[in-house]
Amino acid sequence: GLGLPIVQGAISTILGVIGLMIAPSYIFITFFKMVFLVILLGAVHGLFLLPVLLSIFGPGSCSKNEKKRLKTPASSYLSDTLPSKDKRKGHMFDFPEAGLRIPRPA
């Protein structure tokens, strides 16, 4: 998952700017508060809000009618075939499987 990298990034950035908090200047303390709030809100959005919104509105949230029309991943890989071996003789990419294709968006 992406939870651990988000938390690690937030903690390491806070550790990087913590020196601003202990400085005796008002502007440094204010800047630390702003950066801390931006990091905290970004981490909360990345951990909680964004996954919920993507589960509701993301690519897996198609209606039942749309799911029937979409290709399954296996059929999209196997539906396109490579040219026969005699047409591509001497080609530098010699794939033994005829169904090996790079997936394309529908």
Side-chain angles (χ1 to χ4, degrees):
L2 288 175
L4 185 61
I6 291 173
V7 171
Q8 288 175 340
I11 290 173
S12 66
T13 308
I14 289 172
L15 287 175
V17 296
I18 206 156
L20 295 173
M21 184 182 70
I22 59 175
S25 175
Y26 172 76
I27 191 72
F28 288 156
I29 294 172
T30 304
F31 186 71
F32 171 77
K33 289 177 186 177
M34 288 175 34
V35 171
F36 180 79
L37 285 175
V38 167
I39 295 167
L40 183 70
L41 289 174
V44 168
H45 277 94
L47 289 172
F48 300 111
L49 184 68
L50 191 60
V52 170
L53 290 178
L54 285 176
S55 68
I56 295 170
F57 301 111
S61 64
C62 299
S63 68
K64 291 181 181 179
N65 293 336
E66 290 178 9
K67 284 184 181 178
K68 291 178 185 175
R69 292 185 309 184
L70 294 175
K71 289 182 177 181
T72 62
S75 67
S76 66
Y77 290 122
L78 300 175
S79 62
D80 302 329
T81 58
L82 292 173
S84 63
K85 286 195 175 198
D86 57 340
K87 289 183 183 175
R88 59 183 181 113
K89 223 172 206 173
H91 197 269
M92 62 186 267
F93 300 111
D94 190 20
F95 298 114
E97 297 88 20
L100 181 63
R101 298 291 291 177
I102 297 173
R104 293 176 290 189

